[in-house]
Amino acid sequence: MRCLWKTLFIVGGLFLLAACDNSERANQAIEPMAKAQSEDELLSQIKAAGVLKVITRNAPTTYFIGRDVMPRGPEFDMADSFASYLGVELEVIEKNSIQAVISALKNKEGHIAAAGLTQTQSRAAEFMFGPSYQDITQQVVCRRDNVQPESIEELIGLDIMVAAGTAYSERLKTLQMQYPNLSWVESASLTTEQILYKVWQREIDCSIADSNIVDLNRRYFPELIAPFNLARSENLAWMLNTSSRALAEAVNEWFLDYQETGRLDSTLDQYYGFFEVFDYVDTRTFIRRVDERFPEFRQYFSDAAKKYNLPFHLLAAQAYQESHWLADAVSPTGVRGIMMLTQKTAKEVGVSNRLDPKQSIFGGARYLSKIRTHRFVDEVEEPDRTWLALAAYNVGRAHLHDAQTLARQLNLNPHKWADMKQVLPLLSDKRYYKDLRYGYARGTEPVRYVQRIREYHHIIENELE
């Protein structure tokens, strides 16, 4: 895919989000597309030019540049899939706010706005929406040791800020008709993520954010709380100009297949699948231990990860889930050490002393690499291969094999973690395990195991920036 990205900034001091730009387009303003064009003409022009222009913003819930200097994000992944469906390349047009995204779409600087946009009545009066791809809820966000309002009445008098041009400001304006004394400030220069950082810094009392944004940011700022919802569940969808009906029909056709083949579930699981349960105490403790315990073992994790071609932070996160980074950890079942190896596994990977942290880390890395590399067919792609390997590390490859067999019987995909995490808990249900080769297993444990490792992985990447 061609490189068509632009250089960005650090969001709230948290996410180093960079991008690049095609050399022939550098330092050139994006020319607005022709104002008047028929429905069929626009789609034909996109195909003739070989480029789909999608307007978005740089944020972890939309589009960002990953550590591998490759574009990532749920909106990007979906837009890239749609561009492939049309047989064209994707060009991302970045704007620094929702307000700027909507203005750019109105000015026809791009073909589609894909930026975590809520379907609201005012927007629907001016634009068309594609299919809904995610349900979210607007939540009041405060800091737990500051203020904890439990109703709209208790918001009155608080210092509240939201990003300008968002669905949050629309909702507040609607509420203000019933609560005239409700007041807030709208920022045209700060993103929702940056405003949440100000809440965490106690610079303001509260803000409003979508539930998916709240879930992600609480991993970095555990003190943030969402005391109540400001609205009922709402839908996120792409926005198009009303003159783009043929393009909208193409979006609908693509999305139907994207959803039915499970790719939508896989995309959402990749970015949000580990945010189901939030544990404030555990998260706060983990962040503290990144400073207190991790440095002692950091070099071991780094060297082992390189040797066995594993993500460094993922290996460290797995070790924390296993032992909380305690080299002398011992469980009642006999597993021990920082990677909590059984005697059988330790012997298999050449570990003579499970309580030696270097041996344990290298042994655990070797074992995980072996599962990840050799125990799955080629059809299992990343990141599913890694999540399934971690599950097998926890529950055993035999029980995971049973779960994959059961997945096929239930017409689910044994190669997709989004499906397998639904199947694994059934291994403790007699109706299912009685007919499986290896019988009963506590199938909820590997699901939770993988989820927590993904949580820790996400946090440690941020803490070690």
Side-chain angles (χ1 to χ4, degrees):
M1 187 177 64
R2 289 187 305 180
C3 191
L4 299 168
W5 324 103
K6 295 185 180 297
T7 302
L8 275 186
F9 50 88
I10 296 177
V11 180
L14 293 177
F15 307 103
L16 183 59
L17 306 175
C20 56
D21 198 74
N22 204 355
S23 58
E24 71 266 25
R25 297 173 186 269
N27 302 319
Q28 293 181 5
I30 300 171
E31 293 295 332
M33 294 182 298
K35 297 288 184 180
Q37 50 191 348
S38 73
E39 302 166 11
D40 292 334
E41 283 178 343
L42 176 60
L43 187 55
S44 297
Q45 288 175 7
I46 291 171
K47 292 181 176 181
V51 176
L52 174 71
K53 298 181 180 180
V54 173
I55 310 165
T56 189
R57 70 186 189 98
N58 193 309
T61 54
T62 51
Y63 155 77
F64 59 93
I65 298 300
R67 288 175 173 270
D68 55 1
V69 200
M70 294 295 292
R72 296 281 186 266
E75 296 283 13
F76 172 82
D77 287 358
M78 289 189 289
D80 192 44
S81 174
F82 178 55
S84 296
Y85 173 81
L86 294 180
V88 300
E89 295 185 11
L90 175 65
E91 177 179 340
V92 170
I93 299 173
E94 293 179 32
K95 298 296 177 182
N96 60 11
S97 68
I98 293 291
Q99 194 173 39
V101 167
I102 295 174
S103 295
L105 181 64
K106 186 183 298 185
N107 294 332
K108 298 188 177 179
E109 295 177 24
H111 307 116
I112 295 172
L117 299 171
T118 306
Q119 297 186 51
T120 65
Q121 289 184 348
S122 62
R123 290 172 181 173
E126 191 172 2
F127 300 97
M128 290 191 299
F129 280 99
S132 169
Y133 59 83
Q134 189 175 10
D135 294 333
I136 52 87
T137 305
Q138 289 186 31
Q139 296 181 321
V140 174
V141 187
C142 311
R143 182 172 169 129
R144 66 172 56 240
D145 54 2
N146 187 14
V147 294
Q148 298 187 30
E150 297 181 355
S151 65
I152 297 169
E153 290 92 337
E154 293 182 16
L155 291 178
I156 295 173
L158 297 183
D159 185 10
I160 300 170
M161 178 184 290
V162 298
T166 59
Y168 320 137
S169 62
E170 286 189 36
R171 179 60 179 160
L172 289 171
K173 289 171 185 175
T174 300
L175 291 171
Q176 195 177 47
M177 292 187 287
Q178 184 178 355
Y179 302 92
N181 293 327
L182 180 65
S183 62
W184 65 93
V185 173
E186 296 190 22
S187 174
S189 61
L190 297 177
T191 66
T192 296
E193 292 79 9
Q194 290 171 315
I195 293 173
L196 291 183
Y197 182 70
K198 291 175 72 69
V199 173
W200 185 72
Q201 290 281 71
R202 297 191 183 90
E203 295 178 16
I204 55 175
D205 290 329
C206 302
S207 185
I208 315 296
D210 290 341
S211 51
N212 59 332
I213 298 176
V214 176
D215 284 343
L216 191 149
N217 280 273
R218 289 175 75 185
R219 263 57 199 177
Y220 311 116
F221 308 128
E223 292 80 8
L224 293 182
I225 59 170
F228 69 96
N229 296 337
L230 199 63
R232 294 181 179 179
S233 178
E234 298 173 306
N235 299 322
L236 299 184
W238 291 350
M239 268 181 14
L240 303 88
N241 283 304
T242 54
S243 62
S244 306
R245 295 198 176 276
L247 181 59
E249 289 176 6
V251 170
N252 289 334
E253 292 171 359
W254 157 80
F255 184 80
L256 182 62
D257 179 71
Y258 192 73
Q259 185 176 46
E260 289 183 347
T261 56
R263 286 179 290 166
L264 174 62
D265 287 341
S266 294
T267 297
L268 295 179
D269 178 76
Q270 179 180 349
Y271 294 101
Y272 302 111
F274 49 102
F275 290 151
E276 295 175 3
V277 178
F278 179 78
D279 185 331
Y280 166 74
V281 175
D282 179 73
T283 302
R284 183 72 267 171
T285 301
F286 174 68
I287 291 174
R288 186 177 70 250
R289 287 172 177 169
V290 170
D291 294 327
E292 295 175 351
R293 295 182 182 177
F294 181 71
E296 180 181 354
F297 310 112
R298 177 170 184 156
Q299 194 61 51
Y300 294 153
F301 287 124
S302 178
D303 292 345
K306 288 178 183 176
K307 181 173 182 178
Y308 294 107
N309 193 30
L310 294 169
F312 163 43
H313 297 120
L314 181 76
L315 183 62
Q318 183 192 12
Y320 186 83
Q321 173 61 23
E322 289 286 354
S323 66
H324 287 185
W325 293 329
L326 292 174
D328 58 354
V330 178
S331 86
T333 60
V335 295
R336 56 181 58 197
I338 199 167
M339 297 299 287
M340 298 299 272
L341 301 174
T342 65
Q343 284 186 329
K344 179 181 178 181
T345 300
K347 184 177 180 180
E348 181 182 335
V349 295
V351 172
S352 60
N353 181 1
R354 288 180 287 168
L355 298 185
D356 180 290
K358 181 176 181 180
Q359 284 195 46
S360 184
I361 290 170
F362 274 78
R366 180 181 174 184
Y367 185 58
L368 178 63
S369 177
K370 181 178 179 180
I371 298 172
R372 182 171 174 246
T373 305
H374 302 297
R375 300 292 176 86
F376 299 104
V377 297
D378 292 341
E379 287 80 2
V380 184
E381 299 178 348
E382 292 292 359
D384 299 285
R385 177 176 287 266
T386 294
W387 310 147
L388 292 172
L390 286 169
Y393 189 108
N394 175 260
V395 76
R397 185 65 184 94
H399 287 301
L400 185 66
H401 177 78
D402 272 353
Q404 290 180 306
T405 298
L406 183 55
R408 293 184 181 93
Q409 295 172 2
L410 298 174
N411 293 320
L412 295 173
N413 193 333
H415 302 157
K416 294 293 185 182
W417 177 245
D419 284 359
M420 288 302 298
K421 69 180 182 179
Q422 300 176 49
V423 176
L424 278 162
L426 301 180
L427 297 184
S428 60
D429 188 330
K430 190 174 182 178
R431 292 175 298 173
Y432 297 98
Y433 75 72
K434 65 183 179 65
D435 296 321
L436 296 173
R437 181 176 180 181
Y438 298 99
Y440 172 86
R442 293 190 296 271
T444 57
E445 289 189 10
V447 175
R448 182 61 174 157
Y449 179 81
V450 174
Q451 179 178 311
R452 293 313 293 257
I453 291 171
R454 293 177 67 181
E455 289 175 355
Y456 296 141
H457 181 206
H458 206 79
I459 296 169
I460 198 172
E461 281 191 316
N462 175 69
E463 291 299 311
L464 297 181
E465 283 286 359

